[in-house]
Amino acid sequence: MPNYTFSVNGNTVTVDAPADLSLLWALRDKLGIKGPKYGCGIDVCKACTSHLDGEAINPCVVPVAEVEGREVTTIEGLADGANLHPVQQAWLDQDVAQCGYCQPGQIMAAVALLKRTSNPTEAEIDAIENVCRCGSYFRIRQAIKQAAANM
Ligand code: FES
Ligand code: FES
């Protein structure tokens, strides 16, 4: 099988995988990075949301061959050592998570939004399509607003 070399959370990694293996399974099964969650596998639930070159993507539908030489960030790469990212801190302060399954994807989507705009509108927050079957949407919204104010 071919090798693909790319960066994950600042570390250079090489995986031996078929070209059409999704980045999600390369991360989870080949590299043991379990933050990005599997929900649907078809770009609908967004439980797997991570960043590729700083923008939100859903790795369940990105072939590993497409990330050769590029920079992947998962929830594991957000904190700066012991210092949480402001979005992570806001999530804790607002006690957002219920079961937690969707939360890595929710946080990565929120970080990407706040990179694009420092003071998102209600409509821009609404445009985040990550599904939470526990219905934590109100607290997600509050946490995004807190993070925006603190960043
Ligand atoms: S697992 Fe549902 S969008 Fe990736
Ligand atoms: S916290 Fe349970 S799915 Fe979102």
Side-chain angles (χ1 to χ4, degrees):
M1 284 188 283
N3 283 340
Y4 299 100
T5 299
F6 50 98
S7 162
V8 182
N9 300 330
N11 300 312
T12 300
V13 298
T14 299
V15 297
D16 179 16
D20 61 353
L21 182 74
S22 77
L23 174 60
L24 179 62
W25 297 123
L27 290 169
R28 290 183 60 86
D29 286 355
K30 301 269 184 188
L31 298 168
I33 296 171
K34 301 290 177 69
K37 297 292 185 276
Y38 172 73
C40 66
I42 54 171
D43 200 17
V44 172
C45 73
K46 323 292 187 194
C48 62
T49 302
S50 301
H51 295 178
L52 182 58
D53 296 335
E55 294 188 4
I57 49 110
N58 294 307
C60 66
V61 290
V62 176
V64 67
E66 278 188 22
V67 305
E68 170 74 29
R70 300 174 72 183
E71 191 175 324
V72 176
T73 308
T74 69
I75 188 80
E76 288 90 343
L78 263 194
D80 179 12
N83 298 318
L84 292 179
H85 187 283
V87 172
Q88 292 174 302
Q89 188 60 54
W91 243 249
L92 285 181
D93 292 346
Q94 297 294 331
D95 208 8
V96 173
Q98 289 193 38
C99 82
Y101 197 81
C102 73
Q103 298 296 329
Q106 302 282 4
I107 290 172
M108 295 306 282
V111 171
L113 171 64
L114 292 172
K115 267 189 176 175
R116 295 196 303 276
T117 173
S118 59
N119 188 19
T121 63
E122 298 287 338
E124 285 169 328
I125 296 174
D126 285 343
I128 292 179
E129 294 182 328
N130 292 54
V131 173
C132 176
R133 70 180 183 176
C134 300
S136 64
Y137 299 110
F138 176 78
R139 293 193 303 281
I140 288 171
R141 181 178 301 273
Q142 296 305 106
I144 291 172
K145 289 179 179 174
Q146 177 186 320
N150 290 345
M151 285 170 75

